[in-house]
Amino acid sequence: MSEVLGALRQAVGAAQVLTGGDLSAYEIDWRKRYHGRALGVVRPGSTSEVAAVVRACAEHGTGLVAQGGNTGMVGGSVPDGSGTQVLLNLTRMNRVRAIDAANLTLTAEAGCVLQAVQEAAAAQALLFPLSLAAEGSCTIGGNLSTNAGGTQVLRYGNARDLCLGLEVVTASGEVWHGLSGLRKDNTGYDLRDLFIGSEGTLGVITAATLKLYPQPAASCTALAALPSLEAAVGLLQFAQARLGASLTGFEVMGEHALGLVRAHFPQLAQALPAAPWTVLLEQSDGEGEAHARALFEALLEAALERGLISDAAVAGSLEQSRMMWRLRESIPLAQSLEGLNIKHDISLPVSAITRFVAAADAALMVAFPGARLVNFGHLGDGNLHYNVQAPLGADGPAFLRDCEAAVNAIVYDAVDALGGSISAEHGIGVLKRDELAGRKSPVALNMMRAIKQALDPHNIMNPGRVL
Amino acid sequence: MSEVLGALRQAVGAAQVLTGGDLSAYEIDWRKRYHGRALGVVRPGSTSEVAAVVRACAEHGTGLVAQGGNTGMVGGSVPDGSGTQVLLNLTRMNRVRAIDAANLTLTAEAGCVLQAVQEAAAAQALLFPLSLAAEGSCTIGGNLSTNAGGTQVLRYGNARDLCLGLEVVTASGEVWHGLSGLRKDNTGYDLRDLFIGSEGTLGVITAATLKLYPQPAASCTALAALPSLEAAVGLLQFAQARLGASLTGFEVMGEHALGLVRAHFPQLAQALPAAPWTVLLEQSDGEGEAHARALFEALLEAALERGLISDAAVAGSLEQSRMMWRLRESIPLAQSLEGLNIKHDISLPVSAITRFVAAADAALMVAFPGARLVNFGHLGDGNLHYNVQAPLGADGPAFLRDCEAAVNAIVYDAVDALGGSISAEHGIGVLKRDELAGRKSPVALNMMRAIKQALDPHNIMNPGRVL
């Protein structure tokens, strides 16, 4: 043990190998569900230092957990409790290395905070569209290794779709210099996409070349009230057909989800009265705000005439747009204030969402009468955060402890039956590893294991996660 | 040998195992550069038949070459000359299995011709945007296994970006049922993107779930004349900033490339007089033709004022738009009529294109005075078809035979120096296999070999291609 620590001190300098004091910021995930203990916390400052760390770990057969902002949802970036794993924190590697405006690309180190990437792009009047709740503290390396999603996927895709090239330290401590800024490149297997979403189990992403976009001239938000989830799916189709790529956001919020916001944040103005379902639409426009607003008004009027929606409000200013987004973004916190939740990050074909919700709602109501369903999410991507809260007045912690497995079984069975995914945007980590092993096709699992064995034969990269 | 043929006949029926007669349609690539000889041509009609074929080959250690429309550019889908490889032709598997309009997805079998996929989408007023010269005969399986590009990549991405899920027969003859229609799914390694672009060397794609888009209300085309390639890069940036996602095509044509069209197809109307560079811009609009035309006119007027362009013409009708595209699409044929070519399918960061062309042009003019450079391509994606033709009056076949290696070395050295790719959209196959081995990073090549070994340990899937 002390031998590998010596090698690590040689690799990055003694000051960047932490073994004493309060390491909880590194060892405990932010939701405080995973309390790990690291052999040491190592904070390299460069790619060659990361490579030296990995070589030291490889030599001693020591497991290695890469960590960015430690904002993950599945326990994938904290060490286990054994005290034998090295925690490799990448936040010192936080430089934007280059911006190439003519190529619409930006190259950033893994530890660069997402918001810093967004801001560096904005400083050139360009857009890096990845956007999610943790953007002020999550890092681009973490976003890529978990293939993060967020609110702009409908138009711009997941983190995967926003990355052109990677720099990676392999499990043997070599550096793959794959920082390409190319939009077309068919020279062999797609290693980039293999590392993206592999949650640090195949190698350590140290830098990435990302796609930028021109900033839209204006963006505009609207809310629509709907009688049913089916109507929300209909509105999505209708809005996509009319607005095409200008439709950049489509979020759905169930009555109970928005009700929690109403109860816990009464100061937030709600532009529409309560309805069974509320949709937030966002439009990005190349021409300007007046044009965007006119398109939205025409769209929503036509939707009203068709009976798809019962009411609508178009933001009249940037401030009103922000207020509408704040409603949506306040749901998770309102939910926490209300009590503990059994959370699900699932996706389905958009065409199957209504059937899923009907089936899961019904099965849960039979098994757990009175359970409260906090249902909201990125409907445009088929991604729901379908969360289950104890019945009103019931013991929240007891519900979580006693019912989580049974609730999960009901929800994931309904997901499986309709061709959905049990992890849409949060990944697998430790939390869903066993669930994955039980539910994913054995053919796919065997291919995954063969790839893991091929690229990390000594199983030192984030061992025990994903597989 | 006869043993494996017996097993293949059992797998697909004797009538679908061809061993005699004229098999040149299967054994020779369409450009007639690779003349192979198959042990037998096998034409399965279903996924389970493909699996049975692969199992038979695996049992006998027989190599297997998958083939769709046989329109590849790199010799990747015809057998070698040994007479020991089985040619697996997938064109009987040509069904569109399903269209899910609400989910904007279409599921098609590998042998489905690209144009049939486009037409099936169009019949539902939806768009499958992959579009390339061979679309009337290439198949979606081939498009995916080579990650095809084409003319709409600027807006919609490569074949990879248009695929949500795959059905694949693995090298051991198992079926991976990965036909997901999900836009967010983070349940393990990205096997889909590993098979896409692997040119049949890891498994056989038998079906795919593809992304569809709403059809734009109108599309409109324009031509612009430019004094320099630098101006074309400037126009690209300018048009992207103003049109955003509405800019769906941006093709550049050098003076010599368009001159060949003028010479060989004098009946094709050229809307603009000859200029050093001509750009074709395509816009897709959600509102209608008049709106698209007005945006184009404003854009080109502003570009004219800024001195980016010297002249422009906006198509006044669908027929005029088609004529403009026909100019662009006639370049390859005009070039063939003019004589043999040394072809390059390269890509660069858009910001490096001007430097590349200046460097490569200069080096070629020194080494091969008078050589004619036919330069055109998808500038919006940084993808040039940078082709080199013998000097006027010189012996074309002799030039190709004697100078190809030296020309390639000059071009690919210039590509490498600027972080480009030696195969943007055509793949590696046999043609560029050795070039790849010499130029790609050893770290990346070793990872590719480890993956190949992991998923196809007996090297039966398209052996000798890519790696």
Side-chain angles (χ1 to χ4, degrees), chain A residues 100 103 147 158 160 183-187 189-190 201 287 291 347 350-351 383 421 423 425 440, chain B residues 100 103 147 158 160 183-187 189-190 201 287 291 347 350-351 378 383 421 423 425 440:
Chain A
D100 182 344
N103 196 42
N147 186 29
N158 297 287
R160 176 186 307 292
R183 275 150 218 278
K184 282 183 174 172
D185 180 17
N186 278 332
T187 54
Y189 303 159
D190 183 6
T201 62
E287 293 175 60
H291 185 251
S347 69
V350 172
S351 51
N383 179 194
S421 166
S423 186
E425 57 177 7
K440 192 146 180 132
Chain B
D100 182 344
N103 195 43
N147 186 26
N158 297 287
R160 175 186 308 292
R183 277 151 217 278
K184 284 183 174 171
D185 181 18
N186 277 332
T187 53
Y189 302 161
D190 183 6
T201 63
E287 294 175 58
H291 185 253
S347 69
V350 171
S351 51
H378 318 293
N383 178 196
S421 166
S423 185
E425 56 176 10
K440 192 148 182 128

Side-chain angles (χ1 to χ4, degrees), chain B residues 99-406:
Chain B
I99 299 185
D100 182 344
N103 195 43
L104 291 173
T105 50
L106 178 154
T107 300
E109 293 179 341
C112 204
V113 168
L114 172 53
Q115 193 174 313
V117 174
Q118 295 166 343
E119 287 169 359
Q124 310 273 327
L126 295 170
L127 173 74
F128 181 62
L130 187 68
S131 178
L132 46 98
E135 62 195 26
S137 48
C138 64
T139 63
I140 196 69
N143 297 149
L144 289 167
S145 63
T146 59
N147 186 26
T151 59
Q152 303 289 297
V153 174
L154 178 62
R155 163 68 182 95
Y156 298 102
N158 297 287
R160 175 186 308 292
D161 304 290
L162 298 170
C163 179
L164 291 173
L166 290 180
E167 179 186 271
V168 171
V169 173
T170 69
S172 59
E174 291 182 296
V175 181
W176 172 44
H177 296 282
L179 285 177
S180 141
L182 304 175
R183 277 151 217 278
K184 284 183 174 171
D185 181 18
N186 277 332
T187 53
Y189 302 161
D190 183 6
L191 301 172
R192 175 191 67 204
D193 282 311
L194 192 57
F195 285 106
I196 294 174
S198 67
E199 305 187 29
T201 63
L202 299 177
V204 179
I205 294 173
T206 50
T209 300
L210 305 167
K211 278 188 204 169
L212 303 178
Y213 288 83
Q215 273 197 329
S219 84
C220 181
T221 306
L223 291 177
L226 301 103
S228 67
L229 188 55
E230 206 175 345
V233 172
L235 179 64
L236 172 65
Q237 265 191 280
F238 189 60
Q240 285 181 305
R242 300 228 344 188
L243 300 178
S246 301
L247 184 69
T248 46
F250 197 97
E251 302 283 313
V252 73
M253 301 170 275
E255 186 168 21
H256 188 62
L258 265 189
L260 291 178
V261 176
R262 226 178 283 271
H264 292 280
F265 301 104
Q267 71 280 19
L268 280 184
Q270 300 223 6
L272 293 178
W277 296 89
T278 303
V279 162
L280 181 156
L281 302 96
E282 187 194 70
Q283 191 190 166
S284 295
D285 195 275
E287 294 175 58
E289 256 182 68
H291 185 253
R293 208 167 295 137
L295 283 181
F296 251 164
E297 278 160 9
L299 172 83
L300 293 167
E301 212 162 288
L304 205 60
E305 273 169 27
R306 275 168 175 72
L308 283 173
I309 65 176
S310 56
D311 201 353
V314 176
S317 65
L318 205 62
E319 184 47 32
Q320 283 182 22
S321 280
R322 281 206 195 102
M323 281 303 296
M324 290 178 176
W325 270 112
R326 207 168 308 157
L327 286 178
R328 161 65 183 85
E329 286 160 359
S330 300
I331 295 173
L333 189 54
Q335 193 180 229
S336 299
L337 292 171
E338 184 74 10
L340 290 170
N341 268 272
I342 302 171
K343 292 188 202 296
H344 305 103
D345 164 45
I346 57 177
S347 69
L348 293 136
V350 171
S351 51
I353 284 221
T354 308
R355 275 176 290 155
F356 163 77
V357 171
D361 280 10
L364 286 169
M365 284 306 106
V366 169
F368 305 100
R372 290 170 293 168
L373 306 176
V374 183
N375 193 351
F376 64 100
H378 318 293
L379 185 63
D381 322 315
N383 178 196
L384 291 180
H385 296 305
Y386 183 88
N387 300 336
V388 183
Q389 199 152 35
L392 203 64
D395 179 344
F399 182 74
L400 188 67
R401 187 188 62 227
D402 300 337
C403 306
E404 185 164 20

Side-chain angles (χ1 to χ4, degrees), chain A residues 26-43:
Chain A
Y26 304 102
E27 294 178 327
I28 303 177
D29 75 308
W30 71 281
R31 292 206 295 156
K32 307 205 187 315
R33 289 193 66 157
Y34 297 93
H35 295 248
R37 202 161 58 80
L39 173 65
V41 172
V42 181
R43 307 195 308 168

